[in-house]
Amino acid sequence: MCGFITAINFKDNKKIKSYLKSLKTINRHRGPDNFKLLDDDYSPVLFKRLSIIDISNNANQPFKSDDKKKHLVFNGAIYNFIELKKILIKKNYKFFTSSDTEVLMKCYEEWGIECVKKLRGMFSIILFDKSLNKIFFIRDRLGQKPLYYTLINKSLIASSEIKDILFIVKKLKKNISENKFVVDKYLLRGWADDSTNTFFKNIFQFPAGTYSTFKNGKLEKPIKYWELNLNKKNNFNKRSFNKMFNENIRIHLRCDTPLAATLSGGLDSGSIVRTAIKYKKDINTFSCVNSFADESKIINDLLKKFKIKHQNIIIICQAVK
């Protein structure tokens, strides 16, 4: 997974940039392949890359537009980037990488912020548009990819990870305290992702399915671009479901690195793996096997039938007295 952090509209930008540079060696799990700091006076941004689509240096982020007036960072994947690229080529756009990042940038140049409605994927995006003097924050429909922020007076820090925000806030010698209401809620029910609040006071997450803008020291109210319609009634159609399921699996397999999947004895992972190997034969699978819930017989039946490369991870469970 990739990761990024930006600190916007701080007066002492020299110190902020030095803090961001020191983050190059922290949280290396968020992108070990490339570290790049865009040294902007108003909104410096650090990006940590895990290369998946177009692993060349040409696709490194922060990624700049051809006119150098816009740049972006994003964590995730745009699954329908090939289809969008074909549309943009017909509109005379030229491409210099095979990345979904460049497609994302040119989608914005063609359709503006409304381009987010055309994207199929999981993503958190920060897009800096100097021509509009605006910074856009975008989160995917279901909030699969994280995007957190904190406001300090008229300045803003946004990141893929709360730990990076905490690092900068501590360096700025600002107070940090836990959000006891969220902590209690989590301990009582095991989840707390039903609001923009986090475990820390004054650190929030951008809502799923929205975009927001930061301009002149003000973060605008998030605009909802997608919402799940629970009232819509559709009769189940086996043929239609099968077509949609196959199409979704097919476009999820787009990458320039080896592919792997977790495999249990359940219907969901078995269906995904069975469908995936129709499009990519060289997929590896992994299973966690333990004595309390041993599904190895079902897993082995599937492996034998479809000749899948596989590795078991044995978990030894012991009762605590």
Side-chain angles (χ1 to χ4, degrees):
M1 55 189 168
C2 300
F4 53 74
I5 180 168
T6 185
I8 304 165
N9 197 31
F10 280 89
K11 290 181 180 178
D12 195 348
N13 229 326
K14 189 174 181 181
K15 275 189 179 179
I16 291 293
K17 289 173 190 174
S18 70
Y19 300 154
L20 290 178
K21 285 178 183 177
S22 62
L23 273 169
K24 284 187 176 185
T25 56
I26 298 173
N27 300 341
R28 290 186 65 87
H29 60 280
R30 286 208 87 92
D33 296 325
N34 183 263
F35 295 85
K36 186 176 178 182
L37 175 69
L38 185 66
D39 192 359
D40 185 87
D41 287 335
Y42 178 70
S43 54
V45 55
L46 175 73
F47 188 80
K48 308 172 185 181
R49 186 184 183 197
L50 174 65
S51 305
I52 296 174
I53 298 174
D54 189 346
I55 60 175
S56 72
N57 289 332
N58 294 330
N60 286 342
Q61 299 179 43
F63 190 89
K64 290 189 176 183
S65 61
D66 296 342
D67 63 6
K68 310 301 180 188
K69 293 181 180 179
K70 296 169 282 293
H71 58 274
L72 66 81
V73 287
F74 101 99
N75 169 33
I78 310 300
Y79 299 126
N80 64 331
F81 77 100
I82 291 176
E83 290 76 13
L84 291 169
K85 187 174 184 177
K86 287 177 181 176
I87 295 170
L88 292 166
I89 287 172
K90 287 181 180 178
K91 292 178 176 286
N92 297 320
Y93 281 87
K94 288 184 171 37
F95 289 85
F96 303 97
T97 75
S98 58
S99 69
D100 54 345
T101 308
E102 186 178 16
V103 172
L104 176 57
M105 175 61 81
K106 287 175 179 174
C107 279
Y108 173 75
E109 291 182 313
E110 176 62 24
W111 296 296
I113 193 59
E114 291 296 307
C115 74
V116 69
K117 296 177 181 178
K118 298 179 183 291
L119 306 179
R120 291 176 63 183
M122 54 177 182
F123 47 81
S124 59
I125 304 165
I126 304 181
L127 198 152
F128 306 77
D129 189 336
K130 289 188 176 181
S131 60
L132 297 179
N133 192 29
K134 281 186 177 182
I135 299 172
F136 293 94
F137 302 89
I138 310 163
R139 200 161 176 221
D140 62 62
R141 287 167 170 77
L142 296 177
Q144 288 176 269
K145 289 299 178 180
L147 186 55
Y148 302 100
Y149 72 94
T150 188
L151 288 163
I152 301 173
N153 298 323
K154 290 189 176 182
S155 303
L156 181 144
I157 305 171
S159 179
S160 305
E161 197 159 319
I162 290 178
K163 282 183 282 187
D164 285 355
I165 295 176
L166 293 174
F167 177 83
I168 300 294
V169 171
K170 286 178 182 177
K171 287 288 186 181
L172 294 170
K173 297 184 173 155
K174 301 292 181 181
N175 291 328
I176 301 166
S177 60
E178 65 177 326
N179 189 329
K180 291 184 179 179
F181 176 75
V182 176
V183 173
D184 290 345
K185 188 163 60 172
Y186 178 79
L187 292 174
L188 283 169
R189 65 186 190 186
W191 59 280
D193 200 23
D194 57 348
S195 74
T196 59
N197 296 310
T198 70
F199 291 124
F200 299 90
K201 286 183 179 178
N202 301 320
I203 296 180
F204 308 95
Q205 60 177 331
F206 284 95
T210 68
Y211 66 83
S212 185
T213 56
F214 186 81
K215 184 177 181 179
N216 298 327
K218 185 179 179 182
L219 182 66
E220 301 291 336
K221 182 181 177 181
I223 295 171
K224 199 86 175 170
Y225 68 83
W226 181 86
E227 196 165 11
L228 181 63
N229 186 356
L230 296 173
N231 297 318
K232 188 177 179 181
K233 293 182 179 179
N234 288 320
N235 293 324
F236 179 76
N237 183 292
K238 182 179 178 181
R239 182 176 293 179
S240 176
F241 173 82
N242 189 53
K243 182 180 178 182
M244 290 175 64
F245 185 78
N246 274 265
E247 173 63 10
N248 272 288
I249 297 298
R250 184 182 68 82
I251 65 173
H252 273 66
L253 300 174
R254 291 170 170 171
C255 70
D256 298 318
T257 53
L259 275 166
T262 51
L263 181 63
S264 70
L267 182 64
D268 48 0
S269 67
S271 300
I272 290 169
V273 171
R274 170 66 187 99
T275 305
I277 61 176
K278 291 197 301 185
Y279 303 106
K280 273 188 179 281
K281 302 294 182 186
D282 56 342
I283 292 177
N284 293 280
T285 57
F286 297 84
S287 299
C288 291
V289 179
N290 64 73
S291 56
F292 287 105
D294 190 356
E295 299 176 341
S296 57
K297 184 184 183 307
I298 305 170
I299 294 167
N300 290 334
D301 288 344
L302 191 68
L303 297 173
K304 187 176 179 181
K305 186 173 182 179
F306 299 111
K307 298 178 181 178
I308 303 166
K309 296 177 184 177
H310 182 77
Q311 182 177 335
N312 281 327
I313 299 169
I314 309 298
I315 299 174
I316 299 172
C317 301
Q318 291 181 333
V320 178
K321 293 181 180 181

